[in-house]
Amino acid sequence: MTRIIGVVSGKGGVGKTTLVSNLGVALAQQGAKVAVIDANLTGANLGLHFGLISYPISVHDVMRGNNTLADAIYKHPSGVDIIPASLSIDDLDVTPANIKEAILEHLGDRDFVLIDCATGLDRETLNAIEMCDEVILVTHPELPTISDALRTKTVAKRFEKNIVGVVLNRVTKEDEMKKENVSAFFDLPVIGTIPEDISVRRSIENKNPIVLEKPTHRVSQEMRRIANYLLGKKEEKKKVGIIDRIRSLLGI
Ligand SMILES: Nc1ncnc2c1ncn2[C@@H]1O[C@H](COP(=O)(O)OP(=O)(O)OP(=O)(O)O)[C@@H](O)[C@H]1O
Ligand SMILES: [Mg+2]
């Protein structure tokens, strides 16, 4: 059965697209058939994370009914199928449409369809949540961002979506909100704690998900742990390399 999982947040810029791209690749590396969809219609950039820059057909064309979802699939060497959204400002006026039926029709043989959702609680986001069966909440470990994410959780619950858990992104040693507190706050498991690291930005600049660019990096290890959680597999043992050890001793 295809699991359609939306990656959502309260605030923007917390790492949804970074998670979708890396989790997509990490799941594919485990042998899963994966498609990722950019449902962030007004802030599209999922394709860019994979180095997909020019594409004639996008999710906007699918929502307008001009093309089928199958026309908008682009294959990445990692095995992930990408359904990007348009980067053109001329496409900003598209009315969000629920393409769940199209997902089931054209991507029904995939194990996972990950949906990169928009931020906020307007029509665009609600529409994206409607397409999913499950959601993962992404937040930074700071109170205002967490409280915004809690609102999104409430909305997802109202839509009767299964909430898989919370991913804490950009975690540093100094963070006051610890994993256990966050879990209690949301009444959900924290399924990943991704460290703050400059390599994430570099990999985005290189248009290559960090799990491909630096497979042994602690961020990549954490991405794979989240993938394993979704697959119900045993956790990968954390391997801390010498560089990471020095970094953590120096607090950088
Ligand atoms: N773990 C991390 N360490 C350091 N920087 C990070 C990390 N995760 C994300 N970033 C930075 O945060 C930026 C925003 O991430 P991303 O685009 O994934 O967020 P988003 O939630 O999808 O944003 P939007 O709401 O605008 O769609 C990235 O471009 C990257 O520079
Ligand atoms: Mg994004």
Side-chain angles (χ1 to χ4, degrees):
M1 205 188 80
T2 307
R3 290 179 69 181
I4 308 175
I5 305 178
V7 174
V8 298
S9 66
K11 273 202 199 322
V14 294
K16 295 180 296 296
T17 309
T18 308
L19 180 65
V20 168
S21 55
N22 281 285
L23 194 52
V25 174
L27 286 166
Q29 285 174 335
Q30 295 283 330
K33 285 188 185 165
V34 186
V36 294
I37 301 181
D38 197 345
N40 194 344
L41 303 176
T42 54
N45 57 17
L46 181 61
L48 291 180
H49 281 238
F50 286 98
L52 186 61
I53 289 159
S54 96
Y55 36 90
I57 301 166
S58 72
V59 81
H60 287 78
D61 300 298
V62 179
M63 294 212 168
R64 285 200 183 97
N66 295 342
N67 289 89
T68 70
L69 195 61
D71 298 333
I73 299 174
Y74 299 86
K75 297 208 168 290
H76 187 259
S78 63
V80 174
D81 287 336
I82 308 161
I83 294 112
S86 171
L87 301 172
S88 165
I89 51 163
D90 297 332
D91 283 319
L92 287 181
D93 63 349
V94 75
T95 313
N98 191 348
I99 56 165
K100 181 151 189 191
E101 271 185 29
I103 294 174
L104 292 172
E105 185 184 345
H106 296 284
L107 301 171
D109 64 335
R110 307 305 196 277
D111 299 305
F112 291 91
V113 174
L114 304 181
I115 301 193
D116 186 11
C117 296
T119 302
L121 291 175
D122 58 12
R123 191 63 232 150
E124 194 184 339
T125 306
L126 299 183
N127 177 71
I129 293 175
E130 266 182 306
M131 285 184 227
C132 316
D133 298 321
E134 309 172 61
V135 299
I136 294 174
L137 287 164
V138 186
T139 179
H140 293 164
E142 60 180 17
L143 204 51
T145 320
I146 285 176
S147 96
D148 280 359
L150 189 62
R151 267 204 298 274
T152 309
K153 178 200 162 184
T154 309
V155 170
K157 272 246 164 274
R158 280 199 194 141
F159 278 92
E160 297 181 348
K161 305 300 170 187
N162 174 35
I163 316 209
V164 182
V166 180
V167 170
L168 284 175
N169 188 29
R170 306 193 77 155
V171 176
T172 66
K173 275 207 171 128
E174 289 74 35
D175 287 320
E176 281 169 20
M177 285 294 278
K178 299 292 174 214
K179 187 177 161 180
E180 301 69 38
N181 300 341
V182 174
S183 180
F185 187 86
F186 283 101
D187 193 20
L188 287 169
V190 172
I191 63 170
T193 49
I194 303 169
E196 163 82 33
D197 199 288
I198 187 69
S199 300
V200 175
R201 208 165 89 195
R202 294 210 182 108
S203 78
I204 295 168
E205 278 160 12
N206 294 337
K207 302 176 195 65
N208 195 22
I210 190 165
V211 290
L212 290 170
E213 185 155 288
K214 291 191 171 182
T216 58
H217 194 282
R218 59 203 177 119
V219 168
S220 305
Q221 290 181 35
E222 197 58 22
M223 293 291 183
R224 284 197 297 275
R225 258 165 45 84
I226 302 168
N228 285 340
Y229 182 91
L230 293 180
L231 292 162
K233 287 191 180 172
K234 267 185 79 177
E235 278 188 12
E236 176 181 348
K237 245 184 141 189
K238 276 197 179 178
K239 288 185 216 119
V240 183
I242 185 74
I243 302 287
D244 283 338
R245 219 182 282 265
I246 293 167
R247 274 171 174 281
S248 84
L249 280 172
L250 296 174
I252 54 171

